[in-house]
């Protein structure tokens, strides 16, 4: 709502189509009809409307509600980053918090570190206690003990990302 008011104050052209499509997507996500929400998002893009922070928030919340859809959230995160780099779009704390929660729960630690960096650059509050509890609940025994002698490059990167997040959480 605050973004809409800012757009109106700055006398920018408000694209009502984006808001209409956001309502449709939000409805499908609230009803946990994610395939229909994905179709609506595709149709929105094909009609030339660019998704905004509210669109992504609805989609991430919908995926989190049905659980286990970490790959889909990762794809959305990639699109969010590219849009943030291409335009001056800023994401709010609530959206980034829900993305971070999904990544920590799913074990996508390199993506979680990216979200943490974005939130820290934006000087947003991050509830480390919540993420420490979540990490301990789902990944308590992960990467404990000695490092295996033979690891692929991707395994090394995953381990480093997990240890970086663990250190950030204060779990060393």
């Amino acid at each position: 709502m605050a973004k809409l008011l800012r757009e109106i104050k700055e006398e920018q052209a408000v694209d009502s189509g984006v808001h209409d499509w956001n309502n449709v997507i939000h409805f499908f996500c609230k009803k946990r009809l994610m395939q229909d929400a994905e179709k609506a998002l595709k149709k929105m893009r094909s009609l030339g409307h660019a998704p905004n922070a509210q669109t992504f928030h609805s989609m991430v919340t919908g995926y989190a509600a049905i659980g286990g859809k970490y790959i889909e959230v990762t794809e959305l995160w990639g699109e969010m980053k590219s849009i943030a780099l291409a335009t001056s779009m800023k994401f709010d704390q609530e959206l980034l918090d829900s993305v971070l929660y999904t990544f920590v729960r799913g074990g996508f630690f390199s993506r979680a570190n990216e979200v943490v960096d974005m939130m820290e650059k934006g000087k947003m509050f991050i509830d480390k206690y919540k993420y420490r509890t979540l990490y301990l609940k789902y990944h308590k025994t992960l990467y404990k003990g000695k490092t295996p002698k033979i690891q692929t490059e991707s395994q090394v990167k995953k381990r480093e990302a997990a240890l970086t997040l663990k250190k950030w959480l204060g779990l060393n």
Side-chain angles (χ1 to χ4, degrees), residues 7-22:
E7 286 178 358
I8 292 170
K9 282 182 184 176
E10 295 171 2
E11 296 180 28
Q12 294 178 349
V14 176
D15 188 0
S16 62
V18 172
H19 299 294
D20 293 341
W21 280 105
N22 281 344

Side-chain angles (χ1 to χ4, degrees), residues 4 12 39 51 54 62 75 91 113-114 138-139 144 150-151:
L4 178 63
Q12 294 178 349
K39 288 178 188 174
Q54 182 60 43
E75 291 170 1
F91 298 110
N113 289 329
E114 291 173 4
Y138 291 102
H139 311 289
K144 282 196 167 190
I150 301 172
Q151 284 185 318

Side-chain angles (χ1 to χ4, degrees), residues 51-63:
N52 60 14
Q54 182 60 43
T55 311
F56 291 118
H57 192 273
S58 295
M59 294 295 290
V60 169
T61 306
Y63 284 130

Side-chain angles (χ1 to χ4, degrees), residues 35-142:
Q35 289 179 335
D36 293 328
E38 290 169 2
K39 288 178 188 174
L41 183 60
K42 279 185 184 177
K43 184 70 173 174
M44 176 184 177
R45 287 182 186 129
S46 70
L47 293 174
H49 302 293
N52 60 14
Q54 182 60 43
T55 311
F56 291 118
H57 192 273
S58 295
M59 294 295 290
V60 169
T61 306
Y63 284 130
I66 60 175
K69 296 293 184 177
Y70 306 116
I71 302 296
E72 289 82 351
V73 175
T74 304
E75 291 170 1
L76 288 175
W77 173 243
E79 187 176 349
M80 288 167 59
K81 286 191 308 184
S82 65
I83 288 174
L85 290 173
T87 64
S88 61
M89 186 189 312
K90 301 286 183 200
F91 298 110
D92 64 343
Q93 180 177 346
E94 188 177 346
L95 171 59
L96 292 177
D97 192 53
S98 59
V99 171
L100 180 58
Y101 187 90
T102 305
F103 286 152
V104 172
R105 183 162 190 245
F108 289 78
F109 301 120
S110 61
R111 302 289 181 252
N113 289 329
E114 291 173 4
V115 178
V116 167
D117 288 342
M118 185 179 277
M119 290 179 81
E120 286 178 344
K121 285 178 186 170
K123 295 183 172 107
M124 297 178 192
F125 172 74
I126 307 172
D127 186 2
K128 285 188 181 182
Y129 177 77
K130 175 170 84 172
Y131 296 109
R132 186 178 303 130
T133 306
L134 186 67
Y135 184 91
L136 290 173
K137 182 176 181 181
Y138 291 102
H139 311 289
K140 185 190 298 188
T141 60
L142 188 65

Side-chain angles (χ1 to χ4, degrees), residues 19-34 36-37 40 54-55 58-59 62:
H19 299 294
D20 293 341
W21 280 105
N22 281 344
N23 288 334
V24 170
I25 291 169
H26 181 71
F27 171 79
F28 286 135
C29 291
K30 197 167 183 116
K31 297 293 182 183
R32 298 182 180 188
L33 301 170
M34 294 311 294
D36 293 328
Q54 182 60 43
T55 311
S58 295
M59 294 295 290

